[in-house]
Structures are given as structure tokens and as C-alpha cells.
């Protein structure tokens, strides 16, 4: 005889937790752990100013290309995404879109972010838009950027910064004595972005201006970038980050790369081999500098960016026109990491892949270069961007579990520009606890809650604390 099971309430305290063990692991072990957000795109100027926001649209929709993509797909005109519609008109269009995002992670994130920090449990749609907008907006005067970081129990934030950045906002935050560390991350993508020669030449000029030098040679370019690397270290930087389609590991000689640089300065055409040689050379130099300072290098691999050229011309980059790429990652990655390891110059490394088809590649690649010098020196990073959702996180966790040591994983990050994105850590923690809980109740793991609870706490916070040593 079938017994009707009660329908669970949406987003209740046991959301995503399917077993008693999962619930215990989350509520008793994971929930209260602090957060180390070691990769994000939060604007440091807003933290320095302890900015407050005028309305919910400004804190929630501005710059959010995840939401813009969903709105466009739902037939919403660009005017309400990046255009000149009023803030409330934009929010209304987003609210009308939300019911159509069911089974997209946006539906979960939206309601998790309304619940925490606003305490709003109303399901958002076109009819409830005004109520939700007003209830949240009236709370915003008490929710400055620093207040929100405290609310979410964040201990360290690592922003993403170009080498030419003055880091003045990071310095102000430190001088203010703000108890949460806000540290820069060295992101030198533009220093090797040579596909548009004019843009690269302008960047070389900018690097020279910051260093008070005229750059006419590769040696001077490297000298200036090394000065900036040192400058970032003095400001507390402990990580670099690279956003690439794939790792470049083309054989080169110093003389060949010097010749390529001179061609770039004189508008000479490069062959595909020369293009890869220059990028490979620059990656090696950055990696060596990171190793010298004991930094962690991060590689975000596999995004196919700016696919809609019309939109790129009118709206610019980072407005929602990117997708997963299908680049061949394994061979160049092995050559790059292997070359550094041969020279004993391989820094701590985190590899993120955007294509879930590369999960097993990454999960096995890290084992090639973990040398016993420390736990988890080479890491398979958390589900990123299009994989930053329930199934993507589960796939990453399972691949790492099957082919590495999940227990040594440094855990979740936000990779977000929004101060309301920290419930993504809660999302990850619930998924993690559910996986462990199911294994216990299926008899696949022993019912050793104290040990498994410790592993959960390590993945949520302790491993990152020990790994980065902020």
C-alpha cells in the first residue's frame, strides 16, 4: 500500500538535505563555518567607501550577466537589462522572468538571497515584485558593503585586479582597520592578450606609465610587470589568477620571444606559432614569480568569450555573451605544469574548468604534480560559472572524490560581483553534506559523524585557511 508523502516546503531549513545524516552534518558542522572567499570580483572601491545602495536593483541586478541572459531568453528587451529603463522597471522585468527560471540555479539563488539577508520568503514573480522590492529596499540603509561581509561571516576576500591598479582602495581598507581582510589578486591577462595588437600596445604604454618607464623592449616590459608583482605582494596579495581558453605551452627561445615583442610594437603580423610562443613565455614568467613568493596561481580555463560581436560592439565585454568552450586541455596543461615542476618552480596551483567534460582530466592532472610537500598542493577548483550549480557542483565533487582526495579540497568561492552572492556557499555546503549523508545512510561510508563532520568543516573553511595562510 502506497503512503502519500507530504510535499516539502520550498527552501525550508532542510533544503537539499535528503537524509537525517545530511541534516545533522549541515546544521551541526557546516552551517556556522566562516567563509574565505579566495576568488571574487567584488569592487574594492565599494568596500573602501562602505557603500550602501539606494534600491534592490542597484545591489542585485547591476552587472549581473547571469540574470541578463535569462531575461533576454525570456524575451525581455535590452532596455531592461543594460539600458535606460528605471531601476524599478528593470526589477519588475526580472521578477516577471523569475517563474520561468525554474530548474535554473537562478531560481534557487534568487530566493536564497531574498531569504538571507533580507528575511523575505515570498516567492518572487511579477505580482509580488513591488512588495519584495519595497521590503528589501527599506532595509538597505543598514546593509553597507562591510556590514554584509560581517553578516555572512566572511573572514577574507580576494578581489581580482589588473597589474596596473593602484590598489588605493585596498590600502584604505587596511588603514581603516577593517577586521575582514580584503586582498588583491594579480590578474595579468592583458599583459599577454596580443590578439588585438592595438589594444596590447595601449596596455604596454599603460604599464610603462605606471612604472615611469618607456617600454621599448621585452626586458623592460618584464621589469615593469615584476615591479607590479612586487607591489601587489606588499599590499598583501597572495594569489594570481589567469582567465584563459587553455594553457599555452609552446616551445620557445628567449630570442624568438624578443623578436615577437618587437613585432608587436611595430604592428608586425604574427604567425599562430609566434602568438602561442609569446603567451607561453609570459605564463612561465608569471608562474616563476608566484613560486618565488609562495603565492597560489589560479587558472580559469575553457570559456569561449564574446561570441556575439554585435553585442560586444554595443555593450562591451562581461555582459552575458560567453559560453562553454571545447578546447583540448590535457596536453598543454601537462607540459606547462611539468616544465615548472622540472625546474622545481611549481607554485601552489588551482585548476578550474568550465567544460564539465574536462572534470576527469583536471581531477587526474592534479595527482601528477602533488609532490607530498603539503596536503593538496595542486587543487581541482570548485564548479565555476556555468558549472556553479547543483549538478555541476555534484559532478566536480564526485570527480575529485573518485580520482583525488575530496578531504583536502579548499572548497567554495563566490566568483561574483555581488555582495548578495554569499548564499552560494550555503548552497555548496548543503550539497556537500547531502552527498556525505546519502553515502552514510546507504552504508557506503561508516556512521562516524565526528570524523565526517570534521572533513566537512575542513572543506568548508579549515583547508582554505591552512592552504592560503592569509
Amino acid at each position: 500500500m502506497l503512503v502519500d508523502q507530504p510535499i516539502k516546503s520550498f527552501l525550508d531549513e532542510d533544503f537539499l538535505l535528503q537524509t537525517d545524516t545530511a541534516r545533522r552534518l549541515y546544521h551541526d558542522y557546516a552551517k556556522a563555518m566562516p567563509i574565505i572567499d579566495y576568488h571574487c570580483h567584488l569592487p574594492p572601491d565599494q568596500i573602501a567607501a562602505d557603500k550602501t545602495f539606494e534600491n534592490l536593483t542597484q545591489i542585485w541586478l547591476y552587472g549581473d550577466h547571469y540574470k541578463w541572459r535569462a531575461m533576454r531568453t525570456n524575451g525581455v528587451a535590452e532596455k531592461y537589462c543594460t539600458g535606460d529603463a528605471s531601476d524599478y522597471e528593470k526589477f519588475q522585468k526580472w521578477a516577471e522572468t523569475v517563474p520561468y527560471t525554474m530548474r535554473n540555479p537562478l531560481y534557487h539563488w534568487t530566493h536564497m538571497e531574498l531569504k538571507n539577508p533580507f528575511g523575505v520568503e515570498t516567492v518572487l514573480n511579477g505580482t509580488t515584485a513591488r512588495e519584495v522590492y519595497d521590503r528589501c529596499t527599506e532595509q538597505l540603509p543598514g546593509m553597507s558593503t562591510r556590514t554584509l561581509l560581517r553578516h555572512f561571516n566572511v573572514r577574507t576576500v580576494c578581489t581580482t585586479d589588473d597589474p596596473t591598479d593602484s590598489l588605493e582602495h585596498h590600502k584604505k581598507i587596511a588603514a581603516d582597520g577593517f577586521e575582514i581582510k580584503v586582498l588583491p589578486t594579480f590578474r595579468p591577462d592583458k599583459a599577454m592578450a596580443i590578439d588585438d595588437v592595438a589594444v596590447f600596445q595601449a596596455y604596454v604604454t599603460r604599464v610603462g606609465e605606471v612604472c615611469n618607464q618607456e617600454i621599448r623592449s621585452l626586458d623592460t616590459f618584464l621589469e615593469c610587470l615584476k615591479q607590479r608583482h612586487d607591489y601587489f605582494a606588499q599590499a598583501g596579495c597572495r594569489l594570481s589568477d589567469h582567465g584563459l581558453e587553455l594553457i599555452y605551452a609552446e616551445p620557445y627561445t628567449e630570442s624568438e620571444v624578443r623578436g615577437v615583442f618587437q613585432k608587436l610594437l611595430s604592428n608586425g603580423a604574427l604567425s599562430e606559432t609566434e602568438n602561442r610562443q609569446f603567451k607561453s613565455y609570459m605564463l612561465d614568467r608569471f608562474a616563476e614569480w608566484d613560486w618565488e613568493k609562495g603565492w597560489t596561481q589560479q587558472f580559469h580555463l575553457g570559456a569561449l568569450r564574446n561570441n556575439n560581436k554585435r553585442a560586444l560592439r554595443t555593450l562591451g565585454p562581461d555582459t552575458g555573451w560567453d559560453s562553454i568552450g571545447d578546447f583540448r586541455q590535457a596536453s598543454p596543461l601537462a607540459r606547462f605544469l611539468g616544465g615548472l615542476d622540472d625546474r622545481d618552480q611549481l607554485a601552489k596551483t588551482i585548476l578550474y574548468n568550465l567544460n564539465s567534460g574536462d572534470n576527469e582530466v583536471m581531477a587526474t592532472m592534479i595527482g601528477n604534480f602533488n609532490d607530498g610537500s603539503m596536503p593538496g598542493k595542486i587543487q581541482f577548483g570548485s564548479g565555476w560559472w556555468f558549472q556553479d550549480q547543483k549538478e555541476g557542483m555534484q559532478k566536480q565533487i564526485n570527480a575529485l572524490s573518485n580520482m583525488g582526495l575530496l578531504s583536502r579540497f579548499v572548497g567554495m568561492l563566490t566568483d561574483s560581483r555581488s555582495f548578495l552572492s554569499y548564499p552560494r556557499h550555503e548552497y555548496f555546503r548543503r550539497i556537500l553534506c547531502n552527498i556525505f549523508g546519502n553515502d552514510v545512510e546507504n552504508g557506503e561510508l561508516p556512521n562516524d559523524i565526528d570524523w565526517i563532520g570534521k572533513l566537512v568543516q575542513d572543506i568548508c573553511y579549515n583547508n582554505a585557511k591552512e592552504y592560503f595562510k592569509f
Side-chain angles (χ1 to χ4, degrees):
M1 176 178 175
L2 295 176
V3 178
D4 290 340
Q5 295 294 322
I7 296 176
K8 287 176 62 66
S9 299
F10 174 58
L11 218 67
D12 67 6
E13 64 176 10
D14 295 328
F15 175 59
L16 298 178
L17 305 172
Q18 297 173 329
T19 63
D20 289 341
T21 304
R23 289 186 277 273
R24 184 175 174 190
L25 287 171
Y26 177 72
H27 292 295
D28 293 352
Y29 292 91
K31 182 177 180 179
M33 295 302 290
I35 289 172
I36 292 177
D37 194 11
Y38 56 90
H39 174 71
C40 73
H41 298 274
L42 291 180
D45 61 320
Q46 294 184 359
I47 304 174
D50 201 16
K51 179 181 173 63
T52 57
F53 299 85
E54 294 179 11
N55 58 57
L56 186 55
T57 299
Q58 291 185 10
I59 193 173
W60 211 29
L61 270 64
Y62 278 24
D64 194 335
H65 54 80
Y66 287 78
K67 294 185 176 73
W68 296 341
R69 282 172 70 99
M71 291 166 72
R72 292 168 185 143
T73 303
N74 200 42
V76 175
E78 194 64 34
K79 170 183 177 180
Y80 300 100
C81 300
T82 62
D84 59 1
S86 70
D87 284 348
Y88 182 73
E89 288 174 325
K90 290 178 178 179
F91 182 80
Q92 178 69 39
K93 290 297 183 182
W94 166 240
E96 292 171 2
T97 298
V98 167
Y100 294 93
T101 67
M102 284 188 175
R103 302 207 79 247
N104 183 292
L106 283 167
Y107 195 81
H108 284 163
W109 294 345
T110 291
H111 292 97
M112 292 177 75
E113 291 168 13
L114 290 176
K115 187 174 182 178
N116 185 16
F118 296 106
V120 172
E121 298 188 36
T122 303
V123 172
L124 182 60
N125 54 46
T127 303
T128 62
R130 174 53 73 178
E131 172 199 348
V132 170
Y133 186 84
D134 290 345
R135 286 180 62 189
C136 294
T137 296
E138 70 184 12
Q139 297 181 54
L140 287 176
M143 291 184 179
S144 69
T145 54
R146 297 190 189 188
T147 300
L148 284 166
L149 292 175
R150 293 186 185 104
H151 169 82
F152 288 115
N153 199 17
V154 179
R155 298 289 174 84
T156 304
V157 171
C158 294
T159 60
T160 303
D161 310 276
D162 185 84
T164 62
D165 195 292
S166 70
L167 304 184
E168 60 186 291
H169 303 301
H170 295 85
K171 293 178 180 179
K172 181 181 185 305
I173 294 165
D176 288 347
F178 185 40
E179 70 275 15
I180 298 170
K181 291 183 179 180
V182 180
L183 306 177
T185 295
F186 190 78
R187 176 81 173 241
D189 291 357
K190 294 179 181 178
M192 49 185 283
I194 59 174
D195 298 301
D196 187 323
V197 174
V199 171
F200 178 73
Q201 289 174 343
Y203 186 73
V204 171
T205 300
R206 173 61 182 153
V207 171
E209 290 171 349
V210 171
C211 296
N212 295 313
Q213 293 199 58
E214 184 177 2
I215 297 176
R216 294 184 175 180
S217 70
L218 178 63
D219 289 341
T220 306
F221 187 49
L222 289 175
E223 178 186 338
C224 289
L225 288 171
K226 181 63 163 58
Q227 286 180 22
R228 301 309 296 170
H229 198 272
D230 295 341
Y231 179 76
F232 270 58
Q234 293 166 8
C237 179
R238 296 293 178 270
L239 296 95
S240 69
D241 184 53
H242 305 264
L244 304 169
E245 292 182 348
L246 74 168
I247 288 287
Y248 296 96
E250 188 79 13
Y252 59 79
T253 65
E254 293 270 352
S255 61
E256 285 173 332
V257 177
R258 286 192 174 89
V260 171
F261 189 77
Q262 294 305 319
K263 277 189 177 182
L264 288 167
L265 293 188
S266 60
N267 297 313
L270 300 184
S271 69
E272 183 57 37
T273 296
E274 288 174 323
N275 183 295
R276 292 194 301 266
Q277 284 179 321
F278 183 80
K279 293 174 180 177
S280 301
Y281 178 85
M282 295 303 295
L283 275 183
D284 278 345
R285 302 292 79 74
F286 296 138
E288 290 168 1
W289 299 345
D290 291 348
W291 170 79
E292 290 170 356
K293 291 186 172 70
W295 285 11
T296 299
Q297 56 184 357
Q298 301 175 94
F299 297 99
H300 286 83
L301 305 173
L304 188 63
R305 299 177 187 269
N306 302 317
N307 297 284
N308 187 320
K309 301 307 178 186
R310 175 182 55 81
L312 178 63
R313 289 193 300 271
T314 56
L315 301 175
D318 302 321
T319 53
W321 311 96
D322 311 313
S323 67
I324 295 169
D326 56 354
F327 309 100
R328 297 181 67 86
Q329 300 288 353
S331 294
L333 186 55
R335 288 196 300 272
F336 173 70
L337 296 175
L340 293 168
D341 186 71
D342 278 346
R343 304 194 297 272
D344 195 23
Q345 293 180 320
L346 179 56
K348 291 183 289 186
T349 303
I350 306 177
L351 306 175
Y352 308 86
N353 59 288
L354 197 56
N355 191 327
S356 64
D358 295 323
N359 280 355
E360 285 73 19
V361 169
M362 300 299 170
T364 54
M365 188 64 68
I366 65 174
N368 296 331
F369 300 102
N370 270 314
D371 55 13
S373 60
M374 61 173 291
K377 175 182 174 181
I378 314 299
Q379 292 273 329
F380 175 22
S382 63
W384 163 54
W385 200 346
F386 293 111
Q387 304 306 324
D388 185 6
Q389 29 82 2
K390 180 182 173 184
E391 185 174 350
M393 291 180 194
Q394 290 171 336
K395 286 181 177 179
Q396 186 270 346
I397 289 170
N398 287 332
L400 181 54
S401 300
N402 288 330
M403 299 171 188
L405 295 183
L406 177 64
S407 55
R408 293 303 189 178
F409 179 35
V410 293
M412 187 59 178
L413 44 80
T414 62
D415 191 30
S416 175
R417 293 168 174 79
S418 171
F419 290 89
L420 298 181
S421 289
Y422 284 99
R424 294 184 192 180
H425 283 261
E426 175 189 344
Y427 201 56
F428 169 83
R429 292 174 181 186
R430 288 176 179 272
I431 291 166
L432 177 70
C433 291
N434 193 60
I435 289 172
F436 272 113
N438 284 343
D439 284 354
V440 169
E441 299 212 5
N442 288 335
E444 297 178 52
L445 290 175
N447 188 21
D448 187 347
I449 296 299
D450 288 341
W451 175 250
I452 295 175
K454 176 190 179 299
L455 295 185
V456 165
Q457 290 183 327
D458 289 346
I459 295 165
C460 291
Y461 174 74
N462 295 327
N463 287 347
K465 179 182 179 183
E466 181 62 24
Y467 186 81
F468 296 111
K469 296 187 184 298
F470 293 122

